Amino acid sequence: MSFADPEMKNYIKLHSLPEIYEALLTGLFVQCPDDPLIFLEEKIKELLNQKKDQALLLTKESHLNLSWDMFINAESRQSMNKMIGSYLSYLFDLESGEVLAPELYEKAYWFYSNFLLKKCFRLWQAYLRNGRMQQMKMLQNLLKASNKYVQARLKMAFNAWLQWMWIRKQQQALAIKHLQQVNNQLLLRAILREWNTVAKESGSTREYFERLERGELDDENDIQLVTMEEMKDHISQLPWATALKIFNHLGVQELARCAQVCQSWKVLTQTSSLWSKMNFYPLRKWIEDNNIAYILRNYRPSVIHLNLRGCSNISWATFKGISDCRNLQDLNLSECANLTDEFVSLVLEMCTSLLYLNLAYTAISDGTLRSLSTFSLNLQYLSLAYSKNFTNKGLHYLASGKGCHKLTYLDISGCTQFMVSYDYNLTTISLLATPHISDTAIKTLVQGKRITTVKIEGNKHIGDLSFKFFSNACPNLNHIYVSDCPRITDSSLKAISTLKNIIVFNISDCISITDVGVRYLAEGSSGSKLRELNLSNCMYITDLSMLKIVQKCSNLTHLRLRYCLRLTDSGIEWLKGLPALTNIDLTGDNIHEQSLSGLGKNSKLREFTVAECPGVNDNGLQKFYHKMVDLEYLDISHCLSVSDQSIKTLAFCCRRLISLNIAGCPQITDFSIKYLAGVCHYIYFLDISGCINLTDSIFTFLKKGCKNLRILKMLYCIKITKQAVKAVNNIQQLEYSDEIPPIWFGYDNQENLLVTNKEEDENTQQA
């Protein structure tokens, strides 16, 4: 419209034709009437009427009040954007002002700005991405170069190390070869030296036995196999500490005797550390009160352990000496007939470090327990077994006093004068010789849940219920000694099979136990931890129990199977499979040569008992002895078939023997003692009771060869005279009688076997 006539433009502008057209067109487009012509006619009439109204009002304003949305109803008008100016005015080029709304311009501006910003951002991202890619590529190249360099250096170093190692290995191989040669030479020398010693000893022993059998050893000097060079005093030449360790194994009497040997021994025996442990029990019958008091007075700072068991001659002087031993920790006054409450109070008041106190079999009363509750602040172990003069009042002192709070072990075996109703926080319960204790009492005693040791013996009231209490309330139980309790059955063993710490288990004389109970025990939580097991007189167990023990109890060291009459050689032979077994007792069992030969393959055995076994003979024992180099304790008493032949093999193979019991073996003669005395120089205990063929000559052999012998039992030795026994002076404990062996020995004084009534009945039934 820029080329139109100006008058026309004025006309159009004067009459607001663009605004009218715009309002009409907008109304048509928005309202969409059915008849657009009628709609236009009506709206034009409205405009005419508006024009007339302005003329009547004589308004100077010639323009109508027009807007582009004036012909649009109110509902549609609210949803439409506001517009400023006239689009038709723009088309007719009537004005140059802004036509669009500011919001639209703002939107257009921000849209274009965002477009440019996004474009710049994308370009900037691409630039950064390219830079990073180049940087990463550079880093990768640098890393590859660095790795290649490092690998090259490592390869060089590894090659150099390989060469160095090869040289070192060559040097080490040469050195090891040289050392092995030197070690082999030294080992061969040691083996040859030991072999030479053993060969000489075996040769001299064999020669000794041969001469002994030929009767060439009539001279007493020929009995001793130790040479004069070996009889020199080597102890004085030893270092001081070594000599003290040797003397530390001696008792009071031995130390007193050693002090009289020579000056150097006297100085050694006066060392205070040797007197820290004093045991007067072997001297209880003849030692006097003043002697004990003198020894205690001289060594009172060093005394820690003191045993006065059975010393009936002690009185105030001894107890005054004990009270001066301020470092005393262990005191045994059991079986002291003269012990009174005053003496005990004197000791307890001064010896405040006391930890262990044994007052069993004494006449102490409630006064002693009151002193214990007052002065014994550190006491942990207390034995009042079979002391029947104290009452519940005394126990009340222990429970309520300031002392004895650290007490962990209390032995009241045989104290039937009261019932326990106190909680001592104990770890050990000992109820020996208490036949009236029932399951209810056991339930009360184990409530503390700290019990580790239980000892019960000779009780006919305790049954399986007690073992259920042990299982539920004593998780730390590790030592169970329940003997001669006939109401204990397999259910008890099943109940405690859940306990995990049982080490020692003794159910001897519990006659209701069978293979089923042993299986529960062996397969339980503690089966592999068991160290000691006693099934003596459990008459219903068979070889099945032995098999289960061998399979599950690999750490078993002590096993007692006394009078288990249903065991056979096959079951006992399986026991050779227990790798840790060192002590086995098969007294009264039906064992023969087969089982003895099998057990002989276990060279770790230290103690072996086959007493009262009628099937034991010389052949079986000889097979057993061959590998028993370390055997120390042997009991073959009342084995009627044992003779000198097996004793000869015993002496030759088991030279470290300490204790030997051959009582009730009627075929033993003086030759057996000659064999033993010539080789076994460490024998400490010897029981030859009932050996009716031994004569007085054995004392000559024992005096020369068994100088360590301290206990000798010779009951029913009819050919040994009293005069010869009186001449013996180097043995501490000697028991002797020349009476005829009693009938239960199974033979008479003429070595004739006796038949018991039971055997007569069996023979009669067979006939």
Side-chain angles (χ1 to χ4, degrees):
M1 292 294 294
S2 57
F3 54 84
D5 187 10
E7 293 182 0
M8 185 179 293
K9 287 183 178 181
N10 291 331
Y11 178 81
I12 293 171
K13 185 176 181 181
L14 178 64
H15 294 283
S16 302
L17 294 179
E19 287 80 359
I20 294 172
Y21 294 154
E22 184 178 20
L24 292 173
L25 291 175
T26 302
L28 284 173
F29 294 152
V30 175
Q31 295 297 120
C32 298
D34 295 333
D35 190 349
L37 295 178
I38 296 174
F39 176 80
L40 292 175
E41 183 180 358
E42 291 177 355
K43 298 303 177 185
I44 292 172
K45 288 180 179 181
E46 289 181 6
L47 291 175
L48 291 175
N49 294 331
Q50 184 180 1
K51 188 70 174 175
K52 291 179 180 181
D53 292 338
Q54 288 182 355
L56 293 174
L57 294 174
L58 300 177
T59 305
K60 295 180 179 181
E61 185 179 358
S62 60
H63 295 286
L64 296 173
N65 188 11
L66 301 173
S67 65
W68 63 276
D69 57 350
M70 60 183 298
F71 298 131
I72 300 174
N73 55 25
E75 294 178 357
S76 300
R77 192 181 302 168
Q78 292 178 357
S79 60
M80 298 181 65
N81 292 329
K82 183 179 180 182
M83 298 180 63
I84 299 175
S86 174
Y87 287 96
L88 292 179
S89 298
Y90 173 75
L91 293 175
F92 288 106
D93 194 18
L94 298 177
E95 56 184 21
S96 60
E98 60 180 355
V99 177
L100 298 177
E103 291 84 351
L104 297 177
Y105 283 107
E106 186 176 359
K107 282 185 178 181
Y109 171 77
W110 283 110
F111 176 79
Y112 187 68
S113 298
N114 289 335
F115 170 74
L116 294 177
L117 184 62
K118 288 179 180 179
K119 185 176 181 181
C120 293
F121 183 73
R122 283 194 296 270
L123 294 174
W124 176 74
Q125 279 184 329
Y127 172 77
L128 290 180
R129 192 180 301 111
N130 293 333
R132 288 178 181 176
M133 291 179 63
Q134 293 179 359
Q135 187 176 6
M136 290 177 63
K137 188 174 181 180
M138 181 65 69
L139 291 176
Q140 290 176 356
N141 294 333
L142 290 175
L143 183 61
K144 289 180 180 179
S146 177
N147 292 336
K148 188 174 182 180
Y149 176 76
V150 171
Q151 289 177 358
R153 294 296 301 271
L154 288 175
K155 187 176 181 180
M156 293 176 59
F158 183 71
N159 292 332
W161 178 80
L162 283 178
Q163 186 176 3
W164 178 81
M165 283 297 299
W166 183 81
I167 297 173
R168 290 290 297 173
K169 285 184 178 180
Q170 294 295 327
Q171 295 176 350
Q172 290 179 359
L174 293 175
I176 291 173
K177 184 177 180 180
H178 180 69
L179 291 175
Q180 286 179 346
Q181 292 176 354
V182 174
N183 182 62
N184 291 336
Q185 291 178 359
L186 294 175
L187 186 60
L188 286 174
R189 290 178 184 177
I191 292 174
L192 288 174
R193 187 164 51 248
E194 293 296 328
W195 175 82
N196 189 24
T197 302
V198 173
K200 287 182 179 180
E201 186 178 356
S202 300
S204 63
T205 304
R206 188 178 294 106
E207 181 182 358
Y208 169 76
F209 287 159
E210 291 175 355
R211 294 177 60 191
L212 188 63
E213 292 176 353
R214 292 195 300 265
E216 298 177 1
L217 296 180
D218 295 332
D219 188 2
E220 294 181 0
N221 295 327
D222 292 335
I223 298 172
Q224 180 65 24
L225 295 181
V226 181
T227 62
M228 294 300 296
E229 183 179 355
E230 294 175 344
M231 296 178 63
K232 292 182 180 180
D233 178 21
H234 297 293
I235 295 181
S236 300
Q237 302 174 5
L238 293 174
W240 183 269
T242 305
L244 283 180
K245 289 183 179 179
I246 296 175
F247 277 86
N248 195 37
H249 294 280
L250 303 179
V252 176
Q253 186 177 10
E254 289 82 1
L255 288 174
R257 290 178 177 176
C258 291
Q260 302 174 5
V261 174
C262 60
Q263 183 65 27
S264 61
W265 284 31
K266 183 177 181 180
V267 175
L268 280 169
T269 56
Q270 291 179 350
T271 305
S272 59
S273 61
L274 296 177
W275 300 91
S276 62
K277 296 181 180 180
M278 295 188 185
N279 184 10
F280 291 98
Y281 179 71
L283 314 175
R284 64 191 181 281
K285 293 183 180 180
W286 57 268
I287 195 167
E288 298 295 334
D289 183 40
N290 294 331
N291 296 334
I292 299 177
Y294 175 78
I295 296 174
L296 293 175
R297 186 165 55 252
N298 290 336
Y299 301 100
R300 59 183 181 274
S302 305
V303 180
I304 298 177
H305 305 271
L306 180 59
N307 185 2
L308 295 172
R309 176 188 172 190
C311 296
S312 301
N313 298 327
I314 59 176
S315 60
W316 186 87
T318 297
F319 289 101
K320 182 62 173 67
I322 297 174
S323 65
D324 293 334
C325 302
R326 304 301 171 83
N327 297 320
L328 185 63
Q329 297 181 7
D330 187 355
L331 178 60
N332 188 346
L333 298 174
S334 60
E335 303 178 24
C336 293
N338 296 332
L339 186 65
T340 62
D341 293 340
E342 290 76 14
F343 291 156
V344 177
S345 179
L346 175 64
V347 173
L348 295 177
E349 184 175 359
M350 305 305 296
C351 301
T352 56
S353 300
L354 202 61
L355 300 177
Y356 302 91
L357 180 60
N358 191 341
L359 301 175
Y361 295 95
T362 59
I364 57 105
S365 63
D366 295 338
T368 294
L369 273 65
R370 172 179 285 182
S371 300
L372 286 168
S373 65
T374 305
F375 303 114
S376 301
L377 303 180
N378 299 310
L379 194 65
Q380 299 178 5
Y381 176 101
L382 176 62
S383 177
L384 303 173
Y386 299 95
S387 298
K388 300 185 178 182
N389 290 340
F390 66 92
T391 63
N392 277 346
K393 184 177 181 181
L395 292 179
H396 180 71
Y397 290 145
L398 288 181
S400 59
K402 65 178 182 179
C404 297
H405 291 299
K406 297 182 180 180
L407 194 65
T408 60
Y409 181 94
L410 176 62
D411 189 353
I412 52 175
S413 302
C415 300
T416 59
Q417 69 271 25
F418 63 92
M419 284 297 296
V420 178
S421 59
Y422 303 96
D423 182 12
Y424 292 97
N425 201 20
L426 300 178
T427 60
T428 301
I429 297 177
S430 180
L431 299 174
L432 306 179
T434 52
H436 303 296
I437 297 295
S438 64
D439 293 331
T440 304
I442 295 296
K443 181 179 180 181
T444 304
L445 288 172
V446 300
Q447 291 302 317
K449 295 189 177 181
R450 297 185 59 187
I451 304 298
T452 60
T453 303
V454 173
K455 296 181 180 180
I456 305 173
E457 183 178 12
N459 192 300
K460 296 183 180 180
H461 298 283
I462 291 177
D464 297 334
L465 189 58
S466 294
F467 275 75
K468 291 183 180 179
F469 296 148
F470 295 151
S471 177
N472 296 330
C474 305
N476 299 320
L477 194 62
N478 55 42
H479 187 127
I480 300 178
Y481 175 87
V482 181
S483 178
D484 193 16
C485 298
R487 294 185 61 191
I488 300 300
T489 66
D490 295 335
S491 299
S492 297
L493 275 64
K494 182 178 181 181
I496 65 168
S497 63
T498 58
L499 296 177
K500 300 180 180 180
N501 301 309
I502 300 178
I503 298 176
V504 179
F505 190 71
N506 186 340
I507 51 171
S508 58
D509 298 313
C510 295
I511 58 177
S512 300
I513 300 298
T514 66
D515 293 333
V516 177
V518 176
R519 178 171 60 84
Y520 287 141
L521 178 66
E523 294 179 349
S525 302
S526 299
S528 60
K529 299 180 181 179
L530 274 178
R531 297 292 188 273
E532 299 182 19
L533 178 61
N534 192 340
L535 299 174
S536 298
N537 204 27
C538 295
M539 59 183 67
Y540 293 112
I541 65 172
T542 65
D543 294 342
L544 295 177
S545 295
M546 301 301 101
L547 179 60
K548 191 59 64 175
I549 289 173
V550 172
Q551 291 175 345
K552 300 296 182 179
C553 305
S554 57
N555 292 315
L556 198 64
T557 60
H558 292 68
L559 179 61
R560 295 185 179 274
L561 301 170
R562 299 166 61 93
Y563 304 107
C564 296
L565 302 180
R566 298 195 179 190
L567 296 180
T568 65
D569 285 332
S570 299
I572 295 175
E573 189 178 7
W574 285 335
L575 298 178
K576 67 183 179 182
L578 292 173
L581 190 64
T582 60
N583 186 325
I584 185 169
D585 188 349
L586 301 172
T587 300
D589 293 341
N590 296 321
I591 62 174
H592 300 84
E593 183 176 340
Q594 175 187 348
S595 55
L596 289 173
S597 177
L599 290 173
K601 297 179 182 179
N602 185 357
S603 59
K604 293 184 179 181
L605 283 178
R606 299 293 183 272
E607 301 183 21
F608 186 63
T609 302
V610 286
E612 303 180 28
C613 296
V616 173
N617 54 28
D618 288 337
N619 292 333
L621 289 175
Q622 286 175 331
K623 292 180 181 180
F624 172 78
Y625 293 146
H626 278 301
K627 294 184 179 181
M628 296 293 109
V629 180
D630 297 325
L631 189 65
E632 297 177 352
Y633 299 88
L634 177 64
D635 186 353
I636 52 174
S637 58
H638 301 284
C639 294
L640 305 182
S641 301
V642 174
S643 65
D644 295 335
Q645 193 64 31
S646 60
I647 299 298
K648 177 182 178 181
T649 306
L650 171 66
F652 189 82
C653 299
C654 309
R655 303 184 183 185
R656 299 179 182 178
L657 206 60
I658 296 175
S659 175
L660 176 61
N661 188 346
I662 52 176
C665 298
Q667 300 185 36
I668 298 296
T669 65
D670 292 346
F671 278 103
S672 294
I673 305 302
K674 287 183 180 180
Y675 295 143
L676 295 171
V679 181
C680 302
H681 304 303
Y682 303 106
I683 293 181
Y684 183 90
F685 172 90
L686 179 62
D687 190 349
I688 53 176
S689 301
C691 296
I692 56 179
N693 291 318
L694 297 180
T695 64
D696 295 342
S697 300
I698 66 171
F699 295 112
T700 303
F701 308 135
L702 293 176
K703 182 178 180 181
K704 294 295 183 179
C706 300
K707 293 187 176 182
N708 293 318
L709 187 62
R710 294 294 180 269
I711 302 175
L712 178 60
K713 295 184 178 182
M714 301 181 298
L715 302 176
Y716 315 116
C717 294
I718 59 178
K719 294 184 180 181
I720 297 178
T721 63
K722 293 182 180 180
Q723 291 76 10
V725 174
K726 290 180 180 180
V728 178
N729 55 7
N730 60 338
I731 297 178
Q732 294 179 358
Q733 182 178 344
L734 191 148
E735 299 180 12
Y736 164 75
S737 71
D738 57 355
E739 300 175 357
I740 298 175
I743 190 173
W744 56 269
F745 267 50
Y747 56 89
D748 58 13
N749 58 349
Q750 300 297 327
E751 204 176 328
N752 297 319
L753 299 181
L754 302 177
V755 180
T756 62
N757 294 333
K758 181 178 179 181
E759 292 176 347
E760 290 181 354
D761 295 339
E762 291 178 354
N763 294 334
T764 303
Q765 291 177 1
Q766 292 177 359

